[in-house]
Amino acid sequence: MTGRVRTTELPTLRCRGLRLRFGARPILDGLDLDVGRGEALAIMGPSGSGKTSLLHCLAGLRQPDAGDISVAGAELTRMSHRQRARVRLNSIGMVFQFGELLDELTVGENVELPLRLRRERGTAAGRLLGSVGLADRGGSWPAELSGGEVQRVAIARALAGRPVLLLADEPTGALDEGLSRAVGELLRSSASAVGAALVVATHDPIVASSMDRTARLRHGQLVAA
Amino acid sequence: MTSPAVRLALAASWRGGRADRRRAATLSAAVAVVTLMGCGCASAWALAGHVQDRAAARSFAPAAEGAPAAFERSALYDETPAGEQIYVYWWRQAGVGPQVPGVHGDPAPGSWFVSPALAERLAVDPGLASRYPGARPLADEGVAHPGELLAHRFVGDHVALDERLAADTEGWIGDGTEALELFPIAMAALALVGIPGLGLVVAASSPLAATVERRRLLLRALGASPGVERRVVATHALSCALPGALAAAVLWWHAAPRLTSVPFVGRAVFAGDLALSGPAIGAVAAGALLLAIAVASVRPGPDLAVRPAASTPRRASAVRGVPLLLAVVTMAAAGVVGGRAGARLFVTGVVATAAAAVIALPYVVDRVGAQLARHPGAVTLLVGRRMGWNAARSTRSLLAVGGVAALSPVVGAWVTVARDVDQPSTVSAPAVEVRGVLSPEEVADLARRADAVTLELVVEPPPDDRTPPRLLVVGDCRTLGSHVKLEACAAGAFSVPAGALGIGPGPLAGSATRPTDAEPHSTLFISDDPTATEALLRAHVLNADRPGRQVAVPGRELTHESPLVQWILGAGLLAGVVGVLALALHLSGQAADLARSRIRLVALGADRALVRRLAGVEAALSLLLVGLGCATVGTVSSWLFVQVDGQASLPIGVIALVVAGVLAGAALSGAAAGVSVPTALRSDRG
Ligand SMILES: Nc1ncnc2c1ncn2[C@@H]1O[C@H](COP(=O)(O)OP(=O)(O)O)[C@@H](O)[C@H]1O
Ligand SMILES: [Mg+2]
């Protein structure tokens, strides 16, 4: 198992015995995982191995059939839908393969959205966009950005809520090699800047190399790479 | 390229996934409804033709001067106690000529034939029945429609009748009123059936539009020519809509000949009157299919549900208000023009206004959206931005609702006028003729009443042996003089010598008019005071329930029984139903539109309640804006209508109903949209 706790305090993310099956087919089969504060983990595996399913469980978007998930002490698997949404809003940031910005909002409004959802006055867009090198694009529409720019905005949005856990699902899947490295490093540096635990699902070795450690998802379990 | 492209289109319609099939089925159902609406209109047209043909079959042409007459006839009038008009014709037939249509059996003098609807009334009303002694039923072909109240009486030689008729029928030339009504009726059908029908197809094809748009982008990427793109879109729409059009056509083909009442209108018809020919039904179905193709081929800009390259909001500009302005000016101008041309201009303006309102509203929706987006809340931001994304596109499927809201107040105002036309007006002619036997007691009674209303009674001597004496009730000497063609006044008083009239002014002796004949005598009431005449008429004639007594109003046109209101209300009801259907489609389309954003919002930490609120506010707000906006435009139109037509009145009830309907609809759709949003996460694989 890869769950090596580096500090004596509780890890930011802690999973025990996660099980998930679609029909008769097990996707997660007794999976254990620990990621500490400021730590960056890459999860690799071929397409269809269950990376997205695992991340959805970690984000509280999907309930596993069995097992426990704790994010900063919050027991996701014992919570209602609404409580999990609250944890996601306050403690978790997510980045997807295609950025998944809301097309109907400007870039700046996309970045501020997590704060607005928390009913906080959102004024951080400028600073956050600056931190990903897009300070002057706040008024643009998502469709006017390139793929790499979209991913940088998505990272800025994921960080807007000052999460303790940052989850990224194939964040460079749609990008070329040079951009992949840049985005991977941006993720790593942004997460450590706010002290967030980072879990990146990827099949891209370049991205994985930017992380502290790498695990492989195989037969529903994580094995150290 | 065509054949693979067509195959691609077909694969996307019925052979695609479950969602594709559901969208195809929705369009199919909408096209079915529109086909049925179109068939209904065509059938109503056919029905009008049948009714007119049967009415024409008994309107014989006048006989030429000196030529022998096939019939002699008088057109009279009667009323049921409920005030419904009864057409009464007295006939005399010359030898073995043509028959009065529907009269089977021996039309011996004194015999009565009544329409089935009148026979029903007679069966439950002995008083009324006594006025039609021994009535036999008229066959269907002699009756214009099952609701017609009609009676024929055949009289002997000694009764004077007004018209001499030849054997050939006149054909339907109408009496002017039918032709006059055609234009507004055609416009009303266009507005009450056309606009909601179009709106329904638009609403049904908008969920499909996303699929179509994706396919178009894919084809373009593959290098297809615009012609191929268009063919694929047309084939797609056609293949989705075809089953519905066919099913509706077959349904109408089978059902229409069997219908004995008009759906929604509720008017009784003879079975077969609503039947349409195969080609006619085919033409209507083809029209509905063309409509579906045309709607699918219109590209109203970027949709949030699709992601074409670089789609940014499509702002609605203020220019959209110009057609509305022009349409309102047209209505106002109609008031200045006046007359028949003005009326046509106004009706055109009304329909144009309803359409222009729907064109103008996206601008309002866009502006309101921009205002909302300024607020800090996440829901207001999202709703505002979504409303402003492509307001023209998102309000398109509210076309039917908007059209109904804009038209109802004007139609309501029109009904207030049409009602007046419809009601058989009270008998208020200066002269009313009563045909029937007056007993001496009745004459004496009349004299008493005439005194009460300060009238004078005069018995006019018969000009020849065949004409019975007439009892005149006159209001003043001048009226009498003009009628009997004598100088009847001297210093403002009656001065007609008694001998000239058979009996002089003043109370009558019973013997003067004692009838000896089984056939009726004529009595003429003349009065300058219409209410007095009416009082006499009602007191002594209609309520007397004497055998064979009817009333003729010389020189007065019978008010034609007009089922206009019934038709308008039926069409309005249909429009309302279609509007609700279109609204439901609009809401489900909107919910589907929200799907992509919903998944992203949930991933960001929004909970179900927020997504529901978002869906609910978006649904309710767009309906409120479109519904109330169109209702306002409709109210202005109906106010202008009242200014143009002095007899119309502002239909406060209808306006209140529309506003209440919009408010209730907004509340319901807000709640429904909130509930129907599925918030469970679906696998979000790009
Ligand atoms: N909602 C679902 N229902 C059924 N099967 C699913 C669902 N989501 C994912 N799967 C299946 O689970 C397996 C893992 O999917 P996923 O987690 O997306 O893998 P990865 O992200 O590693 O490519 C795949 O075989 C996929 O088809
Ligand atoms: Mg995946």
Side-chain angles (χ1 to χ4, degrees):
Chain A
M1 290 300 107
T2 56
R4 187 165 54 84
V5 180
R6 290 199 295 196
T7 54
T8 48
E9 67 187 276
L10 207 63
T12 301
L13 172 67
R14 183 186 184 87
C15 304
R16 288 294 174 267
L18 285 193
R19 279 173 208 286
L20 179 70
R21 51 175 64 230
F22 289 125
R25 194 169 145 233
I27 304 297
L28 305 178
D29 193 10
L31 181 143
D32 296 338
L33 171 64
D34 290 292
V35 185
R37 190 171 181 279
E39 192 186 2
L41 167 71
I43 294 178
M44 296 193 70
S47 181
S49 58
K51 303 183 296 295
T52 298
S53 304
L54 172 60
L55 254 57
H56 282 177
C57 289
L58 300 185
L61 288 168
R62 181 184 290 290
Q63 282 287 46
D65 298 327
D68 294 315
I69 301 170
S70 138
V71 175
E75 295 289 341
L76 284 187
T77 45
R78 293 183 199 152
M79 286 179 164
S80 69
H81 195 284
R82 172 184 279 261
Q83 288 168 319
R84 279 181 280 138
R86 173 124 313 169
V87 172
R88 200 154 55 239
L89 184 60
N90 291 320
S91 310
I92 301 176
M94 288 196 81
V95 179
F96 301 94
Q97 179 171 358
F98 296 102
E100 304 294 352
L101 302 183
L102 284 121
D103 296 326
E104 60 265 47
L105 302 187
T106 64
V107 165
E109 287 162 349
N110 260 288
V111 171
E112 282 172 8
L113 193 57
L115 299 179
R116 293 213 194 200
L117 286 171
R118 290 192 205 170
R119 299 172 204 282
E120 287 175 23
R121 196 81 177 142
T123 49
R127 182 180 56 76
L128 285 161
L129 283 172
S131 72
V132 297
L134 292 170
D136 54 344
R137 301 306 297 272
S140 300
W141 297 97
E144 295 167 337
L145 303 182
S146 72
E149 287 170 331
V150 167
Q151 279 315 40
R152 275 143 72 192
V153 174
I155 292 170
R157 182 179 67 181
L159 292 170
R162 296 173 301 279
V164 296
L165 175 63
L166 191 58
L167 302 171
D169 188 8
E170 310 271 14
T172 64
L175 304 179
D176 65 33
E177 203 173 296
L179 276 175
S180 291
R181 185 178 300 282
V183 166
E185 274 161 14
L186 178 63
L187 264 174
R188 173 77 185 88
S189 60
S190 313
S192 58
V194 295
L198 171 64
V199 178
V200 184
T202 183
H203 56 255
D204 185 348
I206 300 172
V207 175
S209 68
S210 306
M211 306 302 144
D212 296 331
R213 61 195 173 95
T214 300
R216 279 190 182 281
L217 186 55
R218 190 172 293 162
H219 305 307
Q221 302 203 334
L222 283 176
V223 292
Chain B
M1 184 87 200
T2 304
S3 153
V6 166
R7 249 182 280 131
L8 179 66
L10 291 175
S13 49
W14 294 100
R15 280 183 260 138
R18 186 160 9 127
D20 281 330
R21 276 201 300 277
R22 202 181 52 229
R23 291 188 197 112
T26 304
L27 181 58
S28 217
V31 168
V33 171
V34 168
T35 305
L36 288 175
M37 288 166 80
C39 284
C41 286
S43 284
W45 188 261
L47 169 69
H50 293 307
V51 168
Q52 291 183 347
D53 284 347
R54 282 191 293 261
R58 61 171 193 254
S59 49
F60 298 93
E65 199 70 47
F71 300 102
E72 286 173 87
R73 185 184 72 175
S74 282
L76 297 101
Y77 163 91
D78 197 0
E79 251 177 32
T80 66
E84 300 160 294
Q85 290 183 321
I86 304 170
Y87 293 82
V88 180
Y89 295 101
W90 287 17
W91 300 89
R92 184 163 46 238
Q93 264 175 288
V96 280
Q99 262 297 359
V100 176
V103 173
H104 298 304
D106 176 26
S111 57
W112 281 100
F113 292 85
V114 299
S115 67
L118 181 55
E120 269 174 38
R121 306 267 195 305
L122 300 188
V124 296
D125 185 342
L128 189 63
S130 71
R131 305 215 292 260
Y132 302 87
R136 283 179 278 168
L138 266 177
D140 284 355
E141 77 262 21
V143 185
H145 57 87
E148 190 177 41
L149 300 179
L150 171 69
H152 294 305
R153 154 157 239 210
F154 291 86
V155 299
D157 285 341
H158 52 288
V159 176
L161 296 174
D162 302 330
E163 301 168 276
R164 286 165 28 81
L165 302 172
D168 31 303
T169 60
E170 283 177 305
W172 186 259
I173 46 166
D175 51 8
T177 53
E178 320 290 322
L180 183 92
E181 297 296 339
L182 251 181
F183 180 76
I185 285 173
M187 288 305 263
L190 175 71
L192 286 176
V193 178
I195 290 183
L198 174 66
L200 184 66
V201 171
V202 168
S205 55
S206 67
L208 213 64
T211 316
V212 169
E213 195 63 28
R214 259 184 237 119
R215 212 139 297 264
R216 208 199 289 257
L217 292 170
L218 175 66
L219 284 169
R220 184 163 301 170
L222 293 176
S225 69
V228 170
E229 268 181 52
R230 273 198 298 277
R231 267 204 298 285
V232 168
V233 170
T235 312
H236 186 236
L238 183 65
S239 70
C240 289
L242 194 62
L246 280 181
V250 169
L251 176 67
W252 197 253
W253 170 257
H254 279 283
R258 292 173 177 77
L259 289 177
T260 52
S261 80
V262 183
F264 288 98
V265 177
R267 195 171 170 72
V269 298
F270 289 123
D273 271 4
L274 293 171
L276 289 181
S277 70
I281 294 183
V284 171
L289 287 174
L290 282 180
L291 180 70
I293 291 173
V295 168
S297 303
V298 173
R299 300 184 58 198
D303 183 6
L304 268 170
V306 202
R307 221 175 341 170
S311 54
T312 52
R314 172 81 52 99
R315 305 306 302 270
S317 88
V319 176
R320 292 181 157 273
V322 173
L324 182 59
L325 218 62
L326 290 179
V328 173
V329 168
T330 304
M331 282 194 294
V336 181
V337 173
R340 184 114 155 242
R344 289 187 170 209
L345 195 61
F346 187 83
V347 173
T348 311
V350 165
V351 178
T353 302
V358 181
I359 294 175
L361 272 163
Y363 177 67
V364 178
V365 171
D366 185 289
R367 294 319 305 156
V368 171
Q371 285 303 315
L372 280 179
R374 296 221 178 114
H375 284 267
V379 170
T380 43
L381 171 71
L382 281 160
V383 169
R385 285 297 190 203
R386 292 179 64 81
M387 281 168 62
W389 177 259
N390 187 346
R393 175 165 210 141
S394 59
T395 49
R396 231 160 66 104
S397 49
L398 285 172
L399 170 74
V401 177
V404 171
L407 285 168
S408 304
V410 199
V411 172
W414 186 30
V415 167
T416 62
V417 187
R419 266 243 152 87
D420 288 346
V421 174
D422 242 21
Q423 303 292 324
S425 51
T426 50
V427 179
S428 59
V432 177
E433 189 174 353
V434 179
R435 312 249 167 137
V437 182
L438 285 181
S439 68
E441 293 73 28
E442 282 176 302
V443 172
D445 187 35
L446 263 177
R448 242 191 343 272
R449 291 191 183 248
D451 204 36
V453 290
T454 60
L455 297 172
E456 300 277 340
L457 282 87
V458 179
V459 175
E460 195 181 15
D464 55 62
D465 291 345
R466 274 182 51 185
T467 310
R470 303 206 291 181
L471 175 68
L472 305 182
V473 183
V474 294
D476 59 32
C477 57
R478 272 185 39 244
T479 314
L480 173 67
S482 69
H483 191 77
V484 298
K485 314 267 180 323
L486 284 172
E487 186 47 68
C489 291
F494 285 95
S495 67
V496 182
L501 293 169
I503 190 164
L508 293 168
S511 59
T513 54
R514 179 178 304 279
T516 54
D517 199 330
E519 286 296 341
H521 295 231
S522 284
T523 309
L524 190 69
F525 295 85
I526 303 171
S527 163
D528 280 346
D529 178 2
T531 51
T533 315
E534 191 197 338
L536 280 168
L537 184 72
R538 288 187 185 280
H540 292 277
V541 184
L542 293 180
N543 298 332
D545 293 333
R546 290 287 165 180
R549 182 171 302 164
Q550 275 82 36
V551 180
V553 185
R556 171 171 165 267
E557 235 182 82
L558 289 182
T559 60
H560 273 265
E561 183 206 18
S562 156
L564 205 55
V565 170
Q566 213 181 352
W567 285 101
I568 294 171
L569 295 182
L573 184 63
L574 176 63
V577 169
V578 170
V580 169
L581 279 181
L583 178 62
L585 287 176
H586 166 78
L587 290 176
S588 75
Q590 209 168 36
D593 247 22
L594 193 56
R596 188 190 290 273
S597 298
R598 167 176 56 81
I599 292 170
R600 296 173 192 176
L601 283 169
V602 169
L604 285 178
D607 58 10
R608 288 178 187 183
L610 183 130
V611 177
R612 275 201 203 105
R613 207 156 68 238
L614 176 60
V617 170
E618 192 178 343
L621 203 57
S622 50
L623 177 59
L624 265 188
L625 286 175
V626 171
L628 291 185
C630 285
T632 306
V633 168
T635 305
V636 171
S637 301
S638 65
W639 181 80
L640 281 171
F641 188 103
V642 173
Q643 303 310 306
V644 172
D645 187 329
Q647 288 176 315
S649 51
L650 204 63
I652 303 292
V654 175
I655 294 169
L657 197 69
V658 169
V659 170
V662 168
L663 293 180
L668 275 177
S669 20
V675 169
S676 68
V677 168
T679 48
L681 181 86
R682 282 206 309 251
S683 182
D684 190 33
R685 286 162 294 173

